[in-house]
């Protein structure tokens, strides 16, 4: 009788579907649990970093362009430079003329009123904060997923994208993550207000910054074409290095130090030499952590502008103003 009951029970376990499932559930409790690896969801920063290195999956990817497209990029760089410095000259002249036409009593009132220097921001600080705010806004737009295709097309510099020219300037205001933004803006603010307040002024500085961004992007495109690289780049590093090297060449004997190593100081001129050597070696050995071509292009542009460019702008300024005055019927500008 006991054997018959055991056989009947065994038959129910082997033939009864519900009993088999119940037996399986009971038996599974006896097996040791396996460690299940839960992969984190990709963040916006990781997605940006992955797409920068492998952008063939992006909708605006068209493959590497032909070499003749570099002429288009070169022409756009020249257009940005000529246009921005022309606007800077007119902007400066019009603002100066408005100040000269102010009512005499208003002028006297301003001269007699002593501004609160402790709370008053200089023109350099105002310009720097405005550009920093613009960079923050553009970086925040990367977190808006519906805008991702638009951002990839117009705010990254690539020789394999549908858009070639506009991203050469727009990518200067674009950053991949918060750390990238903070480091660039800290360096930018450190040198910007000095170069504006002491040397260039707001109008010339804006033209200088935009042109430096276009030049650094163009050099980056040339390197991408020669290396047959579809990688993308973004960030203000090239333009910022132009500001840094320009300022250092104006005050070559000034002492600088690294923020994390304040005990290590060096001259501004040696800093320029070190930056140029670092980016040249990075370009030579094909390091991929930074866009060394863009950095090198921006740094060389800053050095060139300190030696020659600033003088050329002073010669170009009266030409622009005289043309403007002739068009408006105001006579020549002395």
């Amino acid at each position: 009788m006991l054997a018959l009951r055991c056989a009947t029970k065994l038959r129910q376990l082997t033939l009864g579907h519900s009993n088999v499932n119940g037996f399986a559930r009971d038996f599974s409790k006896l097996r040791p649990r396996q460690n299940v690896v839960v992969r984190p969801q990709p963040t916006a920063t990781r997605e940006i970093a992955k797409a920068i290195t492998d952008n063939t999956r992006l909708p605006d990817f068209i493959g590497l362009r032909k070499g003749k497209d570099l002429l288009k990029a070169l022409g756009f760089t020249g257009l940005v430079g000529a246009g921005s410095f022309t606007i800077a000259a007119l902007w400066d002249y019009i603002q100066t003329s408005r100040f000269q036409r102010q009512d005499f009593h208003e002028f006297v009132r301003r001269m007699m009123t002593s501004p609160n220097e402790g709370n008053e921001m200089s023109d350099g600080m105002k310009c720097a904060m405005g550009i920093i705010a613009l960079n923050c806004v553009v970086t925040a737009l990367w977190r808006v997923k519906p805008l991702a295709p638009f951002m990839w097309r117009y705010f990254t510099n690539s020789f394999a994208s549908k858009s070639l020219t506009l991203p050469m300037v727009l990518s200067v205001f674009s950053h991949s993550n918060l750390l990238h933004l903070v480091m660039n803006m800290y360096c930018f603010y450190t040198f910007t207000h000095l170069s504006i307040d002491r040397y260039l002024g707001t109008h010339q500085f804006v033209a200088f910054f935009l042109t430096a961004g276009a030049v650094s992007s163009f050099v980056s495109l040339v390197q991408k074409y020669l290396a047959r690289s579809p990688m993308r780049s973004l960030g203000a590093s090239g333009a910022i290095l132009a500001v840094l090297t320009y300022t250092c060449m104006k005050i070559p004997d000034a002492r600088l130090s690294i923020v994390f190593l304040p005990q290590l100081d060096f001259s501004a001129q040696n800093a320029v030499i070190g930056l140029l050597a670092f980016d040249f070696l990075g370009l030579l050995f094909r390091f991929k952590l930074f866009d060394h071509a863009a950095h090198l292009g921006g740094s060389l542009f800053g050095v060139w502008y300190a030696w020659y460019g600033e003088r050329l702008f002073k010669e170009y300024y009266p030409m622009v103003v005289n043309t403007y005055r002739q068009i408006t019927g105001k006579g020549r500008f002395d």
Side-chain angles (χ1 to χ4, degrees):
M1 180 64 72
L2 181 60
L4 180 61
R5 289 181 179 178
C6 290
T8 304
K9 187 65 174 176
L10 180 62
R11 186 176 181 182
Q12 290 177 353
L13 291 175
T14 55
L15 297 180
H17 183 71
S18 60
N19 288 338
V20 170
N21 290 338
F23 178 76
R25 287 194 299 269
D26 293 339
F27 182 73
S28 65
K29 297 178 181 179
L30 301 178
R31 291 181 295 180
R33 292 184 177 271
Q34 298 179 352
N35 293 327
V36 179
V37 178
V38 180
R39 298 185 180 276
Q41 294 295 325
T43 62
T45 301
R46 290 179 181 176
E47 291 178 354
I48 294 173
K50 185 176 181 181
I52 288 175
T53 56
D54 180 20
N55 64 71
T56 57
R57 60 194 182 98
L58 295 174
D60 65 317
F61 178 79
I62 60 171
L64 288 172
R65 293 173 173 267
K66 296 181 179 180
K68 63 180 182 180
D69 286 334
L70 288 176
L71 295 177
K72 184 189 299 184
L74 178 61
F76 179 77
T77 304
L79 182 63
V80 170
S84 59
F85 280 105
T86 300
I87 294 174
L90 288 175
W91 185 12
D92 181 77
Y93 170 73
I94 292 173
Q95 275 202 347
T96 303
S97 299
R98 287 178 179 176
F99 176 77
Q100 291 175 349
R101 292 195 303 267
Q102 282 183 342
D103 183 75
F104 177 75
H105 297 290
E106 176 66 15
F107 176 75
V108 172
R109 187 187 67 81
R110 292 194 176 191
M111 292 295 294
M112 296 297 293
T113 303
S114 59
N116 187 356
E117 296 182 357
N119 298 326
E120 187 73 16
M121 293 181 64
S122 66
D123 291 339
M125 295 175 66
K126 292 177 182 177
C127 182
M129 295 305 296
I131 294 177
I132 290 173
L134 182 59
N135 278 267
C136 292
V137 170
V138 174
T139 304
L141 292 178
W142 278 103
R143 272 58 189 170
V144 183
K145 288 190 175 181
L147 293 179
F150 175 81
M151 299 298 293
W152 280 117
R153 179 170 179 174
Y154 292 105
F155 286 87
T156 57
N157 188 40
S158 171
F159 202 59
S161 173
K162 290 180 180 179
S163 298
L164 176 66
T165 54
L166 282 179
M168 293 174 63
V169 173
L170 296 180
S171 62
V172 174
F173 302 93
S174 179
H175 294 80
S176 59
N177 54 63
L178 183 61
L179 179 61
H180 186 200
L181 175 69
V182 170
M183 291 182 63
N184 272 356
M185 293 302 101
Y186 173 79
C187 183
F188 173 75
Y189 182 80
T190 301
F191 290 91
T192 295
H193 64 88
L194 176 63
S195 61
I196 293 177
D197 295 331
R198 184 176 295 184
Y199 301 111
L200 296 177
T202 302
H203 314 111
Q204 188 180 175
F205 175 82
V206 172
F208 168 78
F209 185 79
L210 292 176
T211 306
V215 169
S216 63
S217 294
F218 173 73
V219 176
S220 176
L221 290 177
V222 172
Q223 186 272 334
K224 288 178 173 63
Y225 168 71
L226 295 176
R228 310 304 296 167
S229 172
M231 288 185 64
R232 298 176 182 242
S233 55
L234 71 167
S237 303
I240 293 173
L241 283 172
V243 177
L244 188 153
T245 54
Y246 166 81
T247 308
C248 289
M249 295 309 297
K250 299 296 288 186
I251 46 174
D253 296 327
R255 306 301 297 179
L256 304 178
S257 62
I258 302 175
V259 62
F260 299 111
L261 298 171
Q263 67 276 10
L264 179 64
D265 68 330
F266 39 84
S267 68
Q269 186 173 4
N270 287 337
V272 173
I273 296 173
L275 287 171
L276 292 175
F278 172 75
D279 286 315
F280 177 78
L281 292 176
L283 195 60
L284 183 65
F285 292 103
R286 298 185 179 183
F287 297 150
K288 295 183 179 180
L289 182 60
F290 304 109
D291 189 347
H292 293 282
H295 289 186
L296 192 61
S299 298
L300 290 175
F301 179 78
V303 174
W304 174 85
Y305 198 83
W307 284 350
Y308 307 106
E310 193 172 3
R311 186 177 71 250
L312 291 176
F313 177 73
K314 291 179 180 179
E315 297 175 357
Y316 183 63
Y317 184 95
M319 296 171 55
V320 174
V321 174
N322 282 329
T323 303
Y324 170 76
R325 289 177 65 88
Q326 290 175 5
I327 292 174
T328 56
K330 297 180 179 180
R332 288 186 57 83
F333 171 77
D334 296 328

